[in-house]
Amino acid sequence: MVKKITASFLATLFMISAMPFFNSISATAMTDGNFTFTVYDEKATVRGCLATVYGEITIPDTLGGYPVVAIGSSAFDNYKELTGVVIPDSVTMIDGGAFQNCTGIKRVVLPKKISEISSSAFANCSSLEEITLPETVTSINSGTFEGCASLKGIKIPENVNSIGWSAFSGCISLKEINIPKQLERICDNVFSNCKSLEKIDFVNITCIGQSSFENCKALKEIYIPQYVKQISNDAFMGCGEIEKITVSSKNNVYHSFQNCLISTVDKILILGCRNSIIPDNGSVNQIGSYAFYGCTGLEKITLPDKINNIGTYAFAYCENLTDLTVKSNTNYPYGWYETVFSGNTKMTITCPENSLLWNYAKMNNIPCKPYYALDSAKIQLIGATKLLVAEENNTEYSVDCKNWQSEPLFTDLQPTTVYNVYKRDSDDNSKLGEPIQIETDEIDNLDGMKNSQKLVYVRKALLLCENRMSADVNNDFSVDIIDLIALKKQLCND
């Protein structure tokens, strides 16, 4: 019995002591020609080459008599003289960073049965122009094609159900890409800095991650289908040339209005574009962080009085934004302006006097002008009267249709007498438009003014309806240029 136990013990001890020896053999690099490889379970994994490789190589399907089933981690990392690679059909796995930083590679032929391409496998292959993914691929891991600056197009197989973060980030020549029906989530930064990407079809996507399309400057239109339920605030940050934003009417989380992407329940404007008009119908009370970030096509925007919060960098780096109108007197938090409008140097602000924003602008030498709320009912009443446009070219004026002329116009008028002022084109003898009635005492003491200035004054002082309704449409107790601008836009469709 003791002998049997001792023999059994010795046999076991021998096997245990032998295991590291066998494992060390399996992990030892071997060579076949210029290739190095390791063997595990009678299968070979390519580890690289002994000497510098020039031009295109074809990896054999066997090395040292063992079938080649994998390309090892970082096997060809930084092989800059490599211009192309053909991988045999025996390979089912390409490990992380296998060909990363091979800046000379232009063409890759993948095996027909590969199912997964690991992280950064072809990252920074900046000359890669052509690669076909087999239909057997189900997963593209993080950073797989990141920095492939010459890649213009790639078809993602319909069986792909996972694309890792930054998988195609920095593919600056990529113009279009298909989203497979099996894919439900677009991870963070997947297509960031794809500056030539012109269109995207979200198909069955439910979630669009952080910075997933950041700086995709060629995107012109965004359509959000019904299945999308989650969109990160910065998903489209820096997409400055978007012109149109629409959402499927069947989507119950988001909707679009006036080229704005809006979270319906939260009333947050998630994304705007160069043609956005922020709704004033109550559907929006917050502007989300990064909503207009880097929108270089945006030139003017109005924040309705219902807006009570604006997220960080909401309008940052809108380089051509020159006209910002803020209707409300909301006192936004300290430091709000610096983060919300960071990087904007051309902007003039129109806002209520003595508001926090007004005082901030004055203290920091930011151009600003006062905003007054307009009385729309009063504008409608005044709509019965036509406006004189004194600065029009080739236009003459007449008092009571006598002596059509430009200079002088207000001469020999009787005190306290009502006159009709008309205008006409110098090439046409007919009257143009309805007259404006003026009283002579209203143009007293105007000596030294040009007729055009007098006409402007008449508009300021006398823009009255037949019922003599006041032209003070913003109720600030004076008739001034703000009233004129409002009237001109209302009455002349300007």
Side-chain angles (χ1 to χ4, degrees), residues 46-58:
V46 179
R47 295 297 177 184
C49 290
L50 290 172
T52 302
V53 176
Y54 296 92
E56 182 171 299
I57 63 168
T58 299

Side-chain angles (χ1 to χ4, degrees), residues 9-24:
F9 174 78
L10 291 173
T12 303
L13 185 61
F14 175 78
M15 291 176 64
I16 293 173
S17 64
M19 285 176 66
F21 175 75
F22 288 122
N23 281 347
S24 65

Side-chain angles (χ1 to χ4, degrees), residues 348-365:
T348 296
I349 301 172
T350 302
C351 63
E353 285 187 282
N354 299 318
S355 65
L356 183 64
L357 182 56
W358 173 274
N359 294 332
Y360 177 90
K362 289 292 186 182
M363 289 174 57
N364 291 276
N365 298 315

Side-chain angles (χ1 to χ4, degrees), residues 188-259:
D188 300 349
N189 296 98
V190 170
F191 299 104
S192 63
N193 295 304
C194 291
K195 298 180 180 181
S196 299
L197 189 63
E198 296 176 348
K199 59 184 296 186
I200 192 79
D201 185 352
F202 291 110
V203 196
N204 294 324
I205 295 298
T206 61
C207 177
I208 302 175
Q210 293 181 356
S211 300
S212 48
F213 293 92
E214 180 180 347
N215 291 328
C216 290
K217 298 183 182 297
L219 279 177
K220 298 290 186 183
E221 182 175 346
I222 298 293
Y223 174 75
I224 304 298
Q226 69 179 94
Y227 303 108
V228 176
K229 306 302 179 187
Q230 183 179 351
I231 303 174
S232 174
N233 275 8
D234 60 357
F236 298 94
M237 181 173 67
C239 298
E241 297 303 316
I242 295 176
E243 298 175 347
K244 184 177 181 181
I245 301 172
T246 53
V247 178
S248 168
S249 60
K250 296 180 180 179
N251 191 305
N252 56 17
V253 176
Y254 299 99
H255 73 277
S256 57
F257 185 63
Q258 297 178 158
N259 286 307

Side-chain angles (χ1 to χ4, degrees), residues 154-156 168 174-179 191 197 199-201:
I154 186 169
K155 184 180 185 302
I156 301 177
F168 294 93
L174 192 65
K175 290 188 175 182
E176 60 179 321
I177 195 162
N178 65 298
I179 300 297
F191 299 104
L197 189 63
K199 59 184 296 186
I200 192 79
D201 185 352

Side-chain angles (χ1 to χ4, degrees), residues 59 61 68-69 86-92 109-114:
I59 297 173
D61 56 7
V68 175
V69 297
V86 179
I87 304 172
D89 291 338
S90 58
V91 171
T92 58
V109 178
L110 294 174
K112 295 178 181 178
K113 296 182 180 180
I114 193 169

